[in-house]
Amino acid sequence: MRPKFVLALFLSAVLASGVVLYLKQYLGLGKLAPMPAAPESATLVTAAAPKTVISTVLSSNAVSEPAPVPAAPPARPLTEEQRQGVVDAEVERLQQLSMKDDPASLSNILADLTNPEKEVRDAAIEAAKEFGSSNAIPTLKAVAMNTADTEEQIALLEAASFLAVPEMDFNTPAPVRTPEQIQARNERDARRRSKMQQGLPNSESQSPNQGQSANQ
Amino acid sequence: MKMTKILLCAVVVGAMAFTAKQASAFPLALKTESGTMNLTGTYGPLGDPSLTSNKIAKVSYNLKKVLACITNELQLRGTNSTTPLNYTFMYDPYTQICFLTNADGYFVNLTSSNIATVFLDDVVTSFKGSGNGGSEKDLINVELWIHNVRPPQSEISVQFDAFGPGTISASENGNTGIAKMTITEKGIGFTDFNNSDEGIITGSTFTFTGTGTPGENQLPFSIYWWNVLD
């Protein structure tokens, strides 16, 4: 009986030691709590976070133990209305970017050429044309080569061709005209004006959101 | 006396309904416009022995260029010497007016100023739904004509006349009553730049889009267009 008891006690002790070693090695129990993160890294982490989050994180730096990281909630599939809202917002963003001139805006536009949503990709092609930089040509061609949709491929290549054409230059000197040429030109303008008079919608109506009217 | 009051009330209610319909508007913002101008600068006379060859000049334009011409023209006319930075080119398909505007009340009617006109010539329609929400998808022939505008540093006016087939997409949320509408064009056009004798636009495209609360019987737009605008 006594050797059996000693053996059981010994095995229990070995098992308990094993558990303690395992917990030390893999779960970090018994170790000292990690030092708070350096101020630089804290700034980097919180730079893009909202102010409320920043204050929370900064105050947590004073505590010796790191804050527990909450598990991310499972992503819910968007409803059709929500999905369309996201698409509309991205299209609007692209249209705003297209009116700028900086390289970062062009990069953001070109990134959306491979967006999963076709509506966004189409808007990105138009935005690239509106942005008006020939720097977009290689990307447009490269994306076209990797696109299975024929219509989209054509649109991408047409956009690349469009950007290869020089933009209209307001400083180009106009050619000198002979009196006959001026006469012919005036007649052509008159024909077009006549067309406009025939089809001109009622221009008396005013938009209800008008403020300081400056009509002529 | 009682009958007079009833008639008076009926007149007032009728006038209010009419005013509400007149006031209802659905302005759409011009979000994109681009194309390639193909120009013959000068034709020259018949039988000129010095004319042995000619090339088509090609230049591209986009919405930035178009807006630069429009705002410069307004400045030259003295219509708005201080165009605000955050203005938008709008078109209301119900009133058929093009205008520049912003959130602070700035407004210039470009149609009555003889600068911009949209012609909606033909519409074939498909739609589903009712007054409780629905959607519409039409094929159209449409034209956006920007004309009589002088580019910056130039005294010679330019024209961007883009026309061709396009689409109208509209949808109305039955719960909110808010509708979204988009008008697009992909076609060709006429242009006149830098005193050119002739000019053709290839690859013309423009997009108007916006949201609003349409008035009674204003959707489907195609039905309104057929009965009221065409």
Side-chain angles (χ1 to χ4, degrees):
Chain A
M1 287 295 285
R2 196 170 176 180
K4 281 184 182 175
F5 176 73
V6 171
L7 188 64
L9 192 65
F10 178 72
L11 284 174
S12 301
V14 168
L15 192 65
S17 303
V19 168
V20 170
L21 276 173
Y22 173 83
L23 290 174
K24 273 189 176 181
Q25 198 163 359
Y26 294 100
L27 300 182
L29 290 182
K31 283 185 184 175
L32 286 173
M35 294 294 287
E40 293 81 7
S41 63
T43 308
L44 283 173
V45 168
T46 58
K51 282 181 181 176
T52 51
V53 178
I54 291 172
S55 59
T56 308
V57 172
L58 287 178
S59 62
S60 74
N61 280 346
V63 183
S64 58
E65 289 185 7
V69 180
R76 289 180 186 172
L78 296 177
T79 63
E80 178 54 30
E81 201 169 329
Q82 288 171 328
R83 188 198 65 82
Q84 191 58 50
V86 171
V87 168
D88 289 347
E90 188 60 15
V91 169
E92 177 67 27
R93 189 180 78 99
L94 282 167
Q95 286 161 348
Q96 286 172 1
L97 290 173
S98 72
M99 300 303 281
K100 298 181 176 176
D101 291 317
D102 58 306
S105 296
L106 180 60
S107 296
N108 287 329
I109 290 168
L110 296 179
D112 266 347
L113 291 173
T114 52
N115 190 289
E117 294 285 349
K118 178 166 171 51
E119 205 174 325
V120 174
R121 295 198 301 274
D122 290 344
I125 294 171
E126 282 306 314
K129 288 167 70 180
E130 289 294 341
F131 192 87
S133 169
S134 58
N135 292 337
I137 294 174
T139 308
L140 287 163
K141 286 182 175 175
V143 174
M145 292 304 108
N146 293 308
T147 303
D149 185 331
T150 312
E151 282 186 8
E152 199 168 317
Q153 203 170 35
I154 292 168
L156 285 158
L157 294 174
E158 280 180 348
S161 300
F162 171 83
L163 292 171
V165 176
E167 282 192 337
M168 64 188 294
D169 182 1
F170 296 146
N171 295 314
T172 309
V176 180
R177 297 274 160 220
T178 64
E180 291 79 15
Q181 287 170 328
I182 292 170
Q183 176 67 21
R185 184 184 160 75
N186 290 342
E187 286 173 3
R188 194 174 70 244
D189 279 353
R191 283 199 298 274
R192 293 195 68 78
R193 285 203 180 95
S194 159
K195 177 190 172 187
M196 184 187 174
Q197 293 300 323
Q198 287 168 9
L200 189 66
N202 176 20
S203 57
E204 295 300 314
S205 307
Q206 299 285 319
S207 173
N209 60 355
Q210 76 176 84
Q212 302 160 356
S213 181
N215 305 327
Q216 281 200 334
Chain B
M1 185 67 182
K2 193 176 179 183
M3 183 59 75
T4 312
K5 278 185 179 176
I6 291 170
L7 284 173
L8 189 64
C9 283
V11 168
V12 169
V13 168
M16 285 171 70
F18 181 74
T19 309
K21 187 168 184 178
Q22 288 290 93
S24 66
F26 204 141
L28 311 176
L30 180 61
K31 294 293 189 178
T32 66
E33 183 178 17
S34 61
T36 301
M37 296 172 159
N38 301 266
L39 305 158
T40 293
T42 309
Y43 264 103
L46 281 169
D48 184 346
S50 67
L51 294 176
T52 56
S53 67
N54 194 59
K55 280 186 176 177
I56 295 172
K58 285 191 177 192
V59 291
S60 66
Y61 69 91
N62 56 19
L63 185 57
K64 288 177 203 165
K65 295 284 184 184
V66 173
L67 292 177
C69 294
I70 291 173
T71 52
N72 184 65
E73 176 64 30
L74 292 173
Q75 281 188 336
L76 290 172
R77 291 188 192 184
T79 305
N80 63 336
S81 54
T82 52
T83 305
L85 290 174
N86 55 344
Y87 63 89
T88 309
F89 183 117
M90 309 288 281
Y91 165 64
D92 189 321
Y94 292 97
T95 60
Q96 297 183 284
I97 300 295
C98 295
F99 53 96
L100 280 192
T101 190
N102 73 358
D104 300 324
Y106 172 79
F107 181 88
V108 178
N109 187 327
L110 297 175
T111 301
S112 64
S113 299
N114 212 16
I115 286 177
T117 314
V118 173
F119 298 97
L120 194 50
D121 294 326
D122 307 290
V123 179
V124 291
T125 186
S126 68
F127 55 84
K128 60 182 178 183
S130 62
N132 218 13
S135 62
E136 175 183 2
K137 185 89 174 176
D138 307 325
L139 289 176
I140 57 173
N141 278 326
V142 66
E143 176 178 2
L144 170 58
W145 189 11
I146 312 285
H147 52 114
N148 295 328
V149 289
R150 286 164 285 181
Q153 295 100 44
S154 177
E155 280 300 307
I156 304 165
S157 65
V158 59
Q159 291 190 57
F160 310 88
D161 188 6
F163 50 81
T167 59
I168 293 178
S169 303
S171 60
E172 184 181 19
N173 185 322
N175 297 323
T176 62
I178 294 174
K180 181 188 174 188
M181 187 184 289
T182 301
I183 299 176
T184 63
E185 181 266 359
K186 285 184 189 294
I188 52 168
F190 167 82
T191 186
D192 178 2
F193 174 52
N194 221 18
N195 254 345
S196 58
D197 271 350
E198 197 60 274
I200 291 175
I201 298 172
T202 52
S204 76
T205 179
F206 61 81
T207 305
F208 288 102
T209 190
T211 55
T213 308
E216 193 181 351
N217 295 326
Q218 288 194 332
L219 285 178
F221 175 76
S222 56
I223 303 289
Y224 186 88
W225 171 83
W226 178 261
N227 287 283
V228 181
L229 302 176
D230 189 32

